[in-house]
Amino acid sequence: MIGQINGLFGVQGWVKLFSYANPRKNILSYKPWHIEVDGVWTTLEAIKGREQGKTIVAQLKGVNDREVARNYIGTELYIERSQLPKLPEGKYYWDELTNLEVINTNNILLGKISYMVDTGSNSVMVINGDNEHWVPYIEPFLISIDMDKRQILVDWDENF
């Protein structure tokens, strides 16, 4: 997911976007966007877009009034993976980490990564198993990632 439509802006189908891109205005460079509405995938195209204060706004092709645009509020925006830059060896996009098993240095399975959170100072793996663990995605807690085994090794107490 690259972003979400989270409100209306002005008239003629302009929408406010929450962007996960870094920097956030880069969401406008990814085209097209894909959305799922009522179980059906469709494509959206931004005709125009810009930063507007602390948000991003875009005018959608074929969306010419506020009532049509209102139907898209809360819709998540997706792009093709091929649009993303290739990461260096040992770096991963968050969605690549989702569902990886996480074990600690005592070989205890903590669970699987449900999702990642950006806290501002670092990213955090939210791991669900018997308990929920919020483990910082940084050294010294993150020891290794084995994508072949789909497993992450962490230095984290299972009772914490």
Side-chain angles (χ1 to χ4, degrees):
M1 178 172 48
I2 193 73
Q4 184 177 46
I5 297 174
N6 66 356
L8 302 176
F9 178 77
V11 294
Q12 297 180 348
W14 282 80
V15 294
K16 292 180 185 178
L17 304 175
F18 181 81
S19 172
Y20 294 111
N22 187 9
R24 68 176 182 235
K25 70 180 178 181
N26 281 4
I27 192 171
L28 298 170
S29 65
Y30 297 114
K31 295 178 182 177
W33 298 327
H34 302 286
I35 62 169
E36 183 181 10
V37 178
D38 297 328
V40 177
W41 285 93
T42 190
T43 300
L44 289 179
E45 184 179 337
I47 301 170
K48 300 178 195 173
R50 67 180 182 274
E51 285 187 278
Q52 183 73 30
K54 293 186 177 185
T55 191
I56 304 292
V57 295
Q59 184 180 25
L60 303 176
K61 183 177 181 178
V63 179
N64 299 317
D65 65 59
R66 289 177 61 86
E67 292 311 309
V68 173
R70 186 179 313 279
N71 294 325
Y72 293 125
I73 293 176
T75 301
E76 296 174 345
L77 301 171
Y78 295 86
I79 61 171
E80 299 290 331
R81 178 170 294 282
S82 61
Q83 293 181 30
L84 296 172
K86 184 170 172 58
L87 295 178
E89 183 73 26
K91 301 289 182 183
Y92 305 96
Y93 286 109
W94 285 4
D95 71 311
E96 295 175 294
L97 302 174
T98 302
N99 290 320
L100 265 61
E101 285 187 336
V102 180
I103 59 169
N104 68 11
T105 53
N106 295 323
N107 205 31
I108 295 173
L109 176 65
L110 300 179
K112 292 185 176 185
I113 297 178
S114 294
Y115 58 96
M116 302 284 290
V117 175
D118 183 3
T119 64
S121 59
N122 59 270
S123 299
V124 173
M125 300 175 283
V126 180
I127 302 160
N128 283 297
D130 291 337
N131 297 306
E132 184 174 83
H133 302 275
W134 285 54
V135 180
Y137 187 69
I138 55 172
E139 294 179 347
F141 310 107
L142 177 65
I143 296 175
S144 66
I145 299 173
D146 187 330
M147 291 304 277
D148 292 331
K149 289 184 179 178
R150 303 216 23 93
Q151 196 171 72
I152 296 178
L153 178 63
V154 296
D155 186 1
W156 198 257
D157 188 293
E158 68 271 17
N159 296 315
F160 188 71

